[in-house]
Amino acid sequence: MTGTDVPRLVRLAAKLTMALAPVGLLLLLDGLLELQWRASTDAHALVALLDKIQADYGIEPPELLRGRGGAVQLVVLGAVCLAYSSLGIWLLRGRAWARTSALVLGAVATLFGLFGVGVDATETRTLANYFADLHGSAIGDQESAVRALLYPGWYSWAEDIVQGLQVILSLVALAALAWAVISHSDWFSGRRDADAAPDEWDSALSRVREQSRKHLEADS
């Protein structure tokens, strides 16, 4: 079967799914980069300095990136996105197991990404707030010492951009696949013959279409 035989909507869903590969790779590299920084001498010295300032002056330390657990989550999410993207090849071939796996992994990746973005958005102990607290105290001169040990400024915004891309692309790919499955259930059933008996998935989609038709007729 050639690529021209693949329904256009299925091709779109498959391409969007495969587009998650570079995003997953960036998430993976971002998490590994953060773990590497946290193992560095500067990171240990920074944590010690922040702890000393808290002990001496009661200023609570800021949240440094996502924390070690958050960095591990980025690595896991990146691996999930890479596995998810590889299913695009099998979606083009109409594999039912790829359809189901892509729907499940797409939902997991989307929810996982939304959770991570939500946690970051609700974080109140940011570096900006921390430096404002330092300026409002008698130890404003400590800001330079903290900045000298801090990670490069692009770490945090690069992480935010990649996370945002992952959530948006996962959501769009999932929606496109769901639409493709509903519109072209025969492509994924493995039974593309008109006379083939429908499987359970086909029957469920048929019920959805029938209910939608009845609602439209009732509204009209």
Side-chain angles (χ1 to χ4, degrees):
M1 180 167 293
T2 64
T4 56
D5 296 322
V6 183
R8 180 179 301 178
L9 191 53
V10 174
R11 287 202 306 271
L12 175 62
K15 289 179 179 179
L16 287 171
T17 300
M18 289 186 284
L20 275 160
V23 176
L25 182 59
L26 288 175
L27 285 171
L28 186 63
L29 292 176
D30 187 28
L32 292 175
L33 188 61
E34 183 176 339
L35 289 174
Q36 182 182 28
W37 175 81
R38 288 187 171 277
S40 67
T41 303
D42 284 351
H44 291 304
L46 177 61
V47 171
L49 176 59
L50 296 178
D51 289 343
K52 185 177 186 305
I53 292 175
Q54 182 181 23
D56 294 344
Y57 302 98
I59 300 178
E60 185 180 351
E63 180 64 35
L64 299 176
L65 296 177
R66 293 168 54 90
R68 182 176 179 82
V72 173
Q73 290 176 7
L74 286 178
V75 173
V76 173
L77 181 58
V80 170
C81 288
L82 287 173
Y84 177 29
S85 67
S86 67
L87 294 173
I89 298 173
W90 302 101
L91 292 176
L92 291 173
R93 299 177 182 179
R95 299 296 189 268
W97 63 266
R99 169 203 64 193
T100 305
S101 299
L103 288 172
V104 173
L105 284 180
V108 169
T110 301
L111 292 176
F112 205 111
L114 285 172
F115 176 77
V117 171
V119 169
D120 290 346
T122 57
E123 178 56 55
T124 58
R125 291 305 300 165
T126 63
L127 283 169
N129 293 338
Y130 184 72
F131 290 138
D133 291 342
L134 287 181
H135 282 298
S137 65
I139 56 170
D141 58 325
Q142 290 293 324
E143 178 179 346
S144 59
V146 173
R147 288 189 180 278
L149 298 170
L150 200 59
Y151 46 82
W154 58 266
Y155 269 39
S156 56
W157 61 257
E159 179 179 291
D160 291 341
I161 291 175
V162 175
Q163 282 185 273
L165 284 174
Q166 182 269 314
V167 171
I168 294 172
L169 190 53
S170 295
L171 186 59
V172 172
L174 180 62
L177 178 59
W179 188 12
V181 169
I182 293 174
S183 302
H184 302 285
S185 60
D186 55 332
W187 178 259
F188 299 101
S189 67
R191 297 187 175 102
R192 301 184 180 87
D193 297 332
D195 298 331
D199 60 9
E200 294 181 1
W201 187 271
D202 292 328
S203 299
L205 290 176
S206 297
R207 289 194 295 270
V208 171
R209 294 196 193 96
E210 182 63 21
Q211 291 176 358
S212 299
R213 185 184 62 79
K214 290 180 178 179
H215 285 307
L216 289 174
E217 291 177 351
D219 293 337
S220 60

